[in-house]
Amino acid sequence: MIERYTMRERVVHWVAAIAYMYVLLTGLAFYSPHLYWLATVLGGGPTSRYWHPWIALLFLASLVWMLRTWSGDMRITAQDRAWEKAMDHYMRNEDELVPPADRFNAGQKYFFWAMLGQARCF
């Protein structure tokens, strides 16, 4: 059995998710007076204003950690090329016709690199 994610990876992923949500919601509160009620829910305006940049740094650190951790697993291999050729079987849920994949299949790897490329655009 292939271990998909370690406990450390799961914790860092949840830290990133929670930090992202906090930064998103406080950012929206600062962006528009109509959404300022979000800051009130998250501890008030001054509290949100204080924590917003620090939580954003935590989010950035978790993203860097995930990138460093997973970039080695995300290299496209010959096994991934074989998986790509059988992708139509994967989409039709014909698992017996799909060659085995490593920890991540080719689709997951391409999605990782696409998200990383999209993040660099901003």
Side-chain angles (χ1 to χ4, degrees), residues 107-118:
Q108 292 167 319
K109 292 178 180 184
Y110 286 131
F111 184 74
F112 174 85
W113 292 115
M115 290 296 101
L116 183 64
Q118 184 236 354

Side-chain angles (χ1 to χ4, degrees), residues 12-28 42 51-52 54-63 66 118-119 122:
V12 170
H13 185 267
W14 277 105
V15 166
I18 292 167
Y20 174 79
M21 290 305 297
Y22 183 84
V23 171
L24 172 70
L25 294 175
T26 55
L28 286 171
L42 295 170
W51 284 110
H52 180 84
W54 294 107
I55 302 296
L57 287 174
L58 176 66
F59 175 63
L60 179 63
S62 63
L63 288 182
M66 287 190 289
Q118 184 236 354
F122 293 105

